[in-house]
């Protein structure tokens, strides 16, 4: 067991990796620790030092294909060049190396070597040529398609309802016309029967 008594910066370890040189990197709630099997090297945020990590609460650690150590914190992202020990910080308030959000959730190194950084406000990808993080915009294609289908269904439903309503109106008008014509025809027939001398009893028998 390794504790703070052995040189660990803090007792709560959030994440741990072993790099390609055999060093053990431990992210704690109060600093980043590199262990060589004998002693610790501690990385902490220091406002007076330019070459320090962006925050002491470490959330995730990953090593990329170039050997750099990426450190996700509760307030930004840090990259440590293991050859020179140079630290580069990325934060949402930095215009040149801006992140979509300072609160880092996860870091992922893809098979192709891309560095993806998940934050509280979207996913970022590291642009090595520009040395900056760029936010990946997500387009919900399925959601757009479903919304379009739903709109089409609503339009079709409205058209069908309108067609049924028109059909009912036309049917009502046709029934009224047929009834009116039938009444007129019967009136004419009754008038003819009366003209030839038929009694009311005879007419009632006919109709």
């Amino acid at each position: 067991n390794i504790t703070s008594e052995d040189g660990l910066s803090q007792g709560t370890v959030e994440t741990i990796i072993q790099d390609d040189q055999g060093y053990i990197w431990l992210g704690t709630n109060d600093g980043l620790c590199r262990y060589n099997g004998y002693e610790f090297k501690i990385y902490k945020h220091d406002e007076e030092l330019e070459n320090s990590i962006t925050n002491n609460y470490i959330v995730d650690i990953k090593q990329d294909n170039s050997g750099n150590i990426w450190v996700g914190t509760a307030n930004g992202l840090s990259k440590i060049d293991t050859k020179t020990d140079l630290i580069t910080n990325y934060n949402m308030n930095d215009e040149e190396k801006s992140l979509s959000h300072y609160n880092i959730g996860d870091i992922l190194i893809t098979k192709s070597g891309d560095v993806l950084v998940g934050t509280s406000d979207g996913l970022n990808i590291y642009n090595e040529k520009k040395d900056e993080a760029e936010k990946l915009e997500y387009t919900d294609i399925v959601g757009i398609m479903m919304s379009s289908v739903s709109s089409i269904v609503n339009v079709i439903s409205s058209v069908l309802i309108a067609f049924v309503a028109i059909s009912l109106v036309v049917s009502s008008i046709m029934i009224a016309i047929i009834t009116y014509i039938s009444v007129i025809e019967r009136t004419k027939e009754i008038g003819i029967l009366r003209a030839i001398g038929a009694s009311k009893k005879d007419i009632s028998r006919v109709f």
Side-chain angles (χ1 to χ4, degrees), residues 16-26 33-39 63 67 69 82:
I16 179 172
I17 68 163
Q18 183 174 19
D19 67 17
D20 56 8
Q21 300 298 314
Y23 291 109
I24 303 296
W25 295 81
L26 303 99
C33 308
R34 191 188 72 179
Y35 186 58
N36 62 7
Y38 300 98
E39 59 185 2
Q63 183 177 34
I69 298 296
T82 54

Side-chain angles (χ1 to χ4, degrees), residues 2-19 22-45 53 55-62 69-73 78 80 82 85 87:
I2 299 175
T3 67
S4 56
E5 295 180 357
D6 301 302
L8 193 65
S9 63
Q10 202 263 349
T12 304
V13 176
E14 298 289 345
T15 181
I16 179 172
I17 68 163
Q18 183 174 19
D19 67 17
Y23 291 109
I24 303 296
W25 295 81
L26 303 99
T28 75
N29 291 172
D30 188 28
L32 174 68
C33 308
R34 191 188 72 179
Y35 186 58
N36 62 7
Y38 300 98
E39 59 185 2
F40 285 96
K41 179 175 182 178
I42 308 299
Y43 296 82
K44 283 193 175 186
H45 174 68
I53 60 176
N55 188 264
N56 291 333
Y57 195 106
I58 312 302
V59 177
D60 198 12
I61 309 171
K62 291 292 189 299
I69 298 296
W70 290 86
V71 184
T73 78
S78 296
I80 302 174
T82 54
D85 213 34
I87 299 174

Side-chain angles (χ1 to χ4, degrees), residues 117-135:
V117 183
T119 74
S120 296
D121 185 28
L123 183 66
N124 299 258
I125 185 169
Y126 174 65
N127 187 323
E128 187 174 4
K129 293 181 179 180
K130 295 182 179 180
D131 190 26
E132 64 182 16
E134 299 174 345
K135 184 176 181 179

Side-chain angles (χ1 to χ4, degrees), residues 57-114:
Y57 195 106
I58 312 302
V59 177
D60 198 12
I61 309 171
K62 291 292 189 299
Q63 183 177 34
D64 66 19
N65 295 350
S66 299
N68 299 308
I69 298 296
W70 290 86
V71 184
T73 78
N75 189 31
L77 177 72
S78 296
K79 179 183 70 173
I80 302 174
D81 187 331
T82 54
K83 297 176 183 177
T84 63
D85 213 34
L86 178 66
I87 299 174
T88 306
N89 293 323
Y90 307 82
N91 213 318
M92 64 182 296
N93 297 323
D94 190 335
E95 294 182 1
E96 295 182 357
K97 296 176 174 59
S98 180
L99 285 170
S100 60
H101 199 276
Y102 61 83
N103 190 21
I104 309 299
D106 293 285
I107 303 171
L108 173 67
I109 311 298
T110 67
K111 291 182 179 179
S112 61
D114 291 325

Side-chain angles (χ1 to χ4, degrees), residues 120-187:
S120 296
D121 185 28
L123 183 66
N124 299 258
I125 185 169
Y126 174 65
N127 187 323
E128 187 174 4
K129 293 181 179 180
K130 295 182 179 180
D131 190 26
E132 64 182 16
E134 299 174 345
K135 184 176 181 179
L136 292 176
E137 298 295 338
Y138 170 70
T139 302
D140 188 359
I141 297 177
V142 175
I144 293 173
M145 291 178 63
M146 291 302 295
S147 178
S148 298
V149 170
S150 178
S151 297
I152 292 171
V153 170
N154 289 335
V155 170
I156 293 174
S157 299
S158 298
V159 171
L160 290 174
I161 292 171
F163 178 76
V164 171
I166 293 171
S167 298
L168 290 173
V169 172
V170 171
S171 298
S172 299
I173 293 172
M174 292 300 296
I175 292 172
I177 292 172
I178 292 171
T179 302
Y180 177 72
I181 293 173
S182 298
V183 170
I184 291 175
E185 290 297 325
R186 286 199 174 187
T187 302

